[in-house]
Structures are given as structure tokens and as C-alpha cells.
Amino acid sequence: MNKKLIDWPTFISALILLLAVSIPLAVFPKAGKVIVNMANSFVTGNFGVMYLIFGLAAFAFLIFVAFSKNGHIKLGDKHEDREFGTISWAAMLFAAGIGSSILYWGMIEWAHYYQGPPFGIEGGSKEAIQWAPAYGIFHWGPMAWAIYTLPSLPIAYFYYVRKKPVLKISEAVRPVLGKAVDTPLGNLIDVLFMFGLMGGAGTTLALGTPMIAQGVNEITGLPPNLATKTVIMLLCTAIFAVSAYSGLRRGIKVLSDINLWLAIFILAFIFVVGPTVFISETTFTSLGLILNNFFKMATWLEPFANVGGFTETGFPEAWTVFYWAWWLVYAPFVGLFVARISRGRTIQEMILGTIIYGTLGSVLFFGIMGNYGLHLQLTGTFDVVGYMNETSAQAAIIAILGHLPMAGIMVSLFTILAIIFLATTFDSSSYILAAVVQKEVQREPLRWNRLFWAFTLCLMPLVLMYVGDLKTLQTASIVAGFPVLFIMGLLTWSFMKASNEDLRASKGYEPPTIYINRREILQRTPERSQKQSTSESSEDVTPDK
Ligand code: NM2
């Protein structure tokens, strides 16, 4: 055990912060809930606009970088090959960035929009039906993936180009903060990021565990109670602990490969045996609706709520702001991970790859799984919305799957997929948490360190589940992510500063501003100057005509 490698101040502060939040929540659950909800409405109510501006700015900025000079910088040495093939890379990226939540929301998000649509549209109306399958894709689409990609720029740049073997957020803002990174400010940045990530992962667990429990109930008849949920959580921890222990290549790769094939199989099955034409058409039409309304959706905040006869729907805070916040808390983590697997690619490939493959994956899940349920609803085969309101979203998800042929097998496969998805997210989260509390990461973070964070990650959701309030945790995580918004600003600035400095200092660099010396051109090309002078003179006379 090499204790010297550990950055103890960060390690201990992160642990203390985690305990300082979860112990009072566990001891005073009622008061805790009130405080967390107040903090949540304060942040999303007052700063919602900041989240939306951030989402749009992140997207615009990345597109700009991808096609600028900085986008052509290679992450690695001149002759270095890509460490992972593109398919493997895309699958790992997707499996790390997306957890079991896509199974949950992909199946059921439309039902929420169906009965509670945006823009003052009436719930259940024809217009609401059109927005229902589109909004989910938007919330998991290119803007969301852009939020994920942003931190991978500085991190990958410092790791592969400046060759600093530290997978740390604070290290990635050194060009801006300078020596201040070595003071407690640097530790604070890392701790806030770790806290946000633990919160975000808690949200994933809060949604995923009851859904898996419902699947297990359908298969085995075991009641979806506290004991079942605890076993599920521990099982997922055990899976990711084992894979964490076996290292990045074997652990995450094997699991995400299984994940990929299982997901492809389930999606293909639903697509083929389900209403194929309806699924294709609705997905395609939804894409058009999003493209047509991209800015409307990206900026809609209900400023006139409760004034001048407008009624408040709460939609922006409950959905778009919540989602951007949730992607945000995961972003530095996914950024670290994407950076780690992108050796040998250019920055442009990394940016476009993440946004395109990520969005494509989301479109497949939402388009196929969501529209299968929507079809059941619209044809009157199964009233998904009614059933969801009577029971729960997770019960509705499993009931939708129950309408497929070979329902028993499909529910089992879906449940296994959810378990692996949960395990891969935790696998990579523990990898990153461990990396952040190390002074240096040579190939992998230390094993005991990874295991420690694997179990710690489970601790808070487990305690809160016993207290009976995973929802509070979900809300808390979003509040925990607020400081990450500022860290993201620093990360972006830092990337531009460092890469521009290096570009300017590189051999053969030419400044992007082109100065045209007209006299020199005319001297060098006399025949052209003659032609030009005749055309100029003819131009000169035009107005007199
Ligand atoms: N995001 C993609 O639970 C998960 O699927 C992990 C969730 C941020 C909404 C990520």
C-alpha cells in the first residue's frame, strides 16, 4: 500500500463533507428534507437562467473549438496510435457517461411530458403528444453531451500534450489559477467536484435501484421492499468493486462490451417486434421538431409565470434546469474518463465523437423504448400514464415491457442490463474518485483506493434509503453541483489559455489574423494590377452613368 501517493487533505476533506451531509440527513430526515428542498428551489428558481446559458454556451464553444486550430491538436505523440478503436471507444464513452437512468427515463420520460407539457400546452392534448417523445431526446441530446465534453478538453490536453500525469480537476485549472492550485483552494476545487459526483451518482442509484427491484419482483416474486433494494445495491457495489479491482482495461471494458451487446439486442428486439414504422416515424419527426425549436427549447424559462394571466408550470426547473445540473455534476468525471480513453485522437475527433455518438445512443434508447410505450398508450392497448399515476414510474416501466412477446425473458434481460449499467457507472466513478485523491496516477489509481471509493459511493444512498428518502438525495445532488458550474468556467478558460499559448509557441505557427498588403500584391503581379486598374476605373465611372 503506497500511502505517500495519496493527497490526504483532499481525501479526508471529501470524506468529512460526505459524512457532514449524510449523517444529519439520516438523523433528522424531516428537517433535512425541508432544508434540501428549500436549497433546491433557491438554486433552480434563481439561477435557472445560468444553467441554460451555460448549456447553450458549452455547445457553441465546443463546435467553435472543434473547427478551430486548437481542434487539430493531437492528444499524444506524433506517431502514437489511438489506444482504443472507434467502436470500443464509443461504447466505453457511452457506458461510462450513461447509467441505468437511460433505461428509466428512456422508457417513461414521454409519459411525464404527455401529461405535463411545456409552453402552456394542455396536458394530454394532441400538441402535448407531439412534444412528449421529442423532449426526452432533447434533454439527452447534443447540448447535454456538450456539457459532458467540455471538461475533457483541458484534462486530456494536460495529460497527453503537456504530459502531466495527474488526473485531477484542480490540475486542469493551473494555467488560470497558477500557484493558487497548491493552496487549499486547489483541494477545495477537487472536493467540490467529488461531492457533486457523489451526489449525481446518488441520483442514479435513487432511480435505478427501485426499478431493478421492480424487475426482480416481476421475475422472482420477491417484494420490491427495503431488503430487496439493499441486496440489489450491495450486489451492484460488489460487481463494480470486483471490476474496479481488476483495473480499467479488463473491468470496464468487459462490462461495457456485454452492456453494449445486451442493449443492442433489447433495442433491436423492441424495434422489430414492436410497431417498427411508428417508432421510426415518431423518432424522425421528433428530431425535426427539436431542430426546428432548438433555441426555443434551449432557452425556455417561463419568465411570465404567475403574472399577466400566465400560469406557472414549473417545467423548466423540474426538467431542463434539473437535467443540465445533473449532466453538470457528472461532467468533470466523464471528462476525466473520456480524456483517459482518448489517447492518440485529435481534439476535434474527441469533441465530435462524444457529441455525435453520445446523441446517437440517446436517440436510439429514447426513440425505440419510449415510442414503444407511447404506441401502447395511443392505441389504447395499455394506459401507461394512468397506470403510472396509480402505481409508480418503475412499475409502469416493467408493465410496458410485459406487453412484449417473451415478456419474462425480456424483463429479465432488461433487469440484468440495468444492473450492469449501474455497475459500470460506479466502476468508472470509483476509478475517478480514487484518481482525484492521488498526487500522481501512473497507469491506474491504487487498488485499495479504488475499492475504498467504490464502497463509499454506496454509503450515502444506502443510509438514506433506510431513512426512507432517496428523493431528498436526488435533490441534494443537484444543489451539490452548483459550484461545479464555476469550476467548468475555469476549466474552459484554462484550456483556451494553455492551448493558445502552446500553439503560438509552436514551430511554423502563423497568426490567424491575415494582413493584406495591397501594394505588395500589385507589385508582385503587374498583369493583375493592370486588369484591376481597368476594372476599377470602369467601376469609378458607373455612378456617373
Ligand atoms: N445523466 C446522463 O444515471 C445515469 O445514467 C448517469 C445521468 C447525467 C443524466 C448519468
Side-chain angles (χ1 to χ4, degrees):
M1 187 150 59
N2 191 346
K3 285 200 175 143
K4 276 210 201 94
L5 266 183
I6 300 290
D7 171 1
W8 288 108
T10 309
F11 191 107
I12 296 193
S13 327
L15 205 57
I16 290 179
L17 185 59
L18 180 68
L19 295 178
V21 172
S22 42
I23 293 177
L25 273 180
V27 181
F28 308 106
K30 280 226 174 74
K33 193 175 173 172
V34 172
I35 294 175
V36 168
N37 284 335
M38 259 165 55
N40 180 52
S41 31
F42 179 75
V43 171
T44 55
N46 293 312
F47 301 106
V49 65
M50 270 169 76
Y51 283 93
L52 295 206
I53 291 175
F54 167 73
L56 207 53
F59 183 66
F61 172 74
L62 282 170
I63 298 299
F64 161 75
V65 172
F67 294 101
S68 70
K69 265 212 166 99
N70 314 48
H72 296 296
I73 297 175
K74 182 171 175 182
L75 300 168
D77 298 330
K78 197 166 178 187
H79 300 294
E80 204 157 31
D81 276 339
R82 292 170 178 176
E83 189 173 346
F84 297 101
T86 302
I87 296 193
S88 221
W89 181 77
M92 285 169 83
L93 166 105
F94 197 77
I98 296 292
S100 54
S101 311
I102 203 165
L103 300 179
Y104 182 101
W105 291 118
M107 292 288 286
I108 209 70
E109 196 160 325
W110 66 268
H112 291 273
Y113 302 140
Y114 180 96
Q115 56 178 346
F119 313 130
I121 296 168
E122 203 182 319
S125 64
K126 286 204 176 111
E127 223 186 330
I129 294 174
Q130 293 182 15
W131 287 102
Y135 242 100
I137 296 181
F138 175 74
H139 285 146
W140 292 71
M143 276 175 71
W145 283 94
I147 296 177
Y148 262 7
T149 318
L150 199 63
S152 55
L153 300 186
I155 299 165
Y157 191 80
F158 296 118
Y159 200 71
Y160 297 116
V161 181
R162 290 208 173 170
K163 306 229 184 296
K164 285 223 164 203
V166 192
L167 283 175
K168 262 183 188 244
I169 298 297
S170 59
E171 208 44 59
V173 292
R174 190 178 284 282
V176 176
L177 293 185
K179 286 227 165 4
V181 170
D182 303 315
T183 65
L185 183 69
N187 295 337
L188 181 71
I189 289 178
D190 288 327
V191 169
L192 287 177
F193 149 63
M194 290 174 75
F195 188 61
L197 173 56
M198 287 189 265
T203 306
T204 299
L205 214 54
L207 291 170
T209 316
M211 182 177 72
I212 295 171
Q214 199 71 42
V216 170
N217 167 264
E218 186 76 15
I219 305 160
T220 62
L222 277 174
N225 58 14
L226 212 57
T228 314
K229 287 182 198 160
T230 310
V231 172
I232 290 168
M233 243 188 230
L234 290 177
L235 180 76
C236 288
T237 319
I239 296 177
F240 77 75
V242 169
S243 86
Y245 202 76
S246 63
L248 174 75
R249 273 188 171 269
R250 268 178 299 154
I252 297 183
K253 203 164 177 306
V254 169
L255 279 181
S256 52
D257 280 351
I258 299 177
N259 215 3
L260 175 73
W261 293 114
L262 201 52
I264 290 178
F265 173 75
I266 293 178
L267 290 178
F269 186 83
I270 299 180
F271 183 65
V272 172
V273 305
T276 312
V277 174
F278 176 83
I279 289 175
S280 321
E281 288 186 358
T282 312
T283 309
F284 194 59
T285 304
S286 299
L287 292 179
L289 195 71
I290 296 171
L291 281 176
N292 225 348
N293 293 281
F294 184 76
F295 290 106
K296 182 174 171 175
M297 295 165 97
T299 55
W300 191 61
L301 273 165
E302 279 201 307
F304 309 124
N306 296 333
V307 286
F310 288 87
T311 36
E312 183 167 16
T313 63
F315 186 100
E317 291 85 14
W319 294 104
T320 314
V321 174
F322 161 75
Y323 260 121
W324 283 187
W326 192 13
W327 285 86
L328 187 75
V329 287
Y330 264 100
F333 144 67
V334 180
L336 283 162
F337 189 77
V338 171
R340 175 67 191 82
I341 60 174
S342 298
R343 185 193 293 275
R345 292 176 184 270
T346 63
I347 288 183
Q348 183 184 59
E349 282 169 345
M350 189 172 77
I351 294 177
L352 297 183
T354 317
I355 295 183
I356 294 171
Y357 293 123
T359 304
L360 204 65
S362 302
V363 169
L364 286 178
F365 274 90
F366 275 78
I368 297 177
M369 298 195 315
N371 290 328
Y372 176 70
L374 180 62
H375 191 256
L376 293 178
Q377 175 82 37
L378 295 181
T379 52
T381 317
F382 174 44
D383 178 15
V384 178
V385 177
Y387 189 77
M388 177 177 88
N389 295 341
E390 260 167 47
T391 56
S392 63
Q394 48 269 17
I397 292 170
I398 302 298
I400 293 174
L401 291 167
H403 282 79
L404 285 168
M406 303 197 295
I409 298 178
M410 291 318 286
V411 171
S412 312
L413 290 181
F414 182 85
T415 310
I416 294 173
L417 181 65
I419 294 175
I420 302 181
F421 248 133
L422 214 53
T424 50
T425 303
F426 283 93
D427 186 357
S428 26
S429 315
S430 68
Y431 178 96
I432 291 306
L433 288 172
V436 172
V437 297
Q438 273 186 219
K439 290 191 191 128
E440 224 181 87
V441 180
Q442 282 308 347
R443 285 209 66 81
E444 304 275 328
L446 301 173
R447 284 184 173 183
W448 71 264
N449 189 15
R450 286 196 71 180
L451 275 190
F452 177 81
W453 290 105
F455 280 98
T456 311
L457 213 48
C458 216
L459 184 77
M460 187 152 85
L462 212 55
V463 170
L464 280 172
M465 205 171 67
Y466 270 97
V467 177
D469 206 1
L470 279 177
K471 184 99 181 87
T472 307
L473 172 71
Q474 189 179 336
T475 319
S477 71
I478 301 313
V479 180
F482 190 55
V484 180
L485 204 58
F486 302 95
I487 298 180
M488 290 287 257
L490 284 178
L491 284 169
T492 311
W493 181 9
S494 163
F495 167 73
M496 285 314 276
K497 188 162 184 252
S499 61
N500 281 342
E501 265 168 25
D502 290 352
L503 273 177
R504 259 180 251 123
S506 305
K507 220 168 67 195
Y509 172 77
E510 286 187 28
T513 313
I514 300 168
Y515 170 66
I516 297 185
N517 186 336
R518 202 138 184 279
R519 199 171 297 152
E520 209 177 87
I521 297 177
L522 297 181
Q523 268 167 11
R524 254 193 291 146
T525 49
E527 51 318 330
R528 195 147 156 231
S529 70
Q530 241 171 24
K531 238 193 258 158
Q532 262 193 358
S533 65
T534 42
S535 72
E536 261 166 28
S537 57
S538 69
E539 231 171 61
D540 283 343
V541 287
T542 324
D544 292 339
K545 273 186 181 171

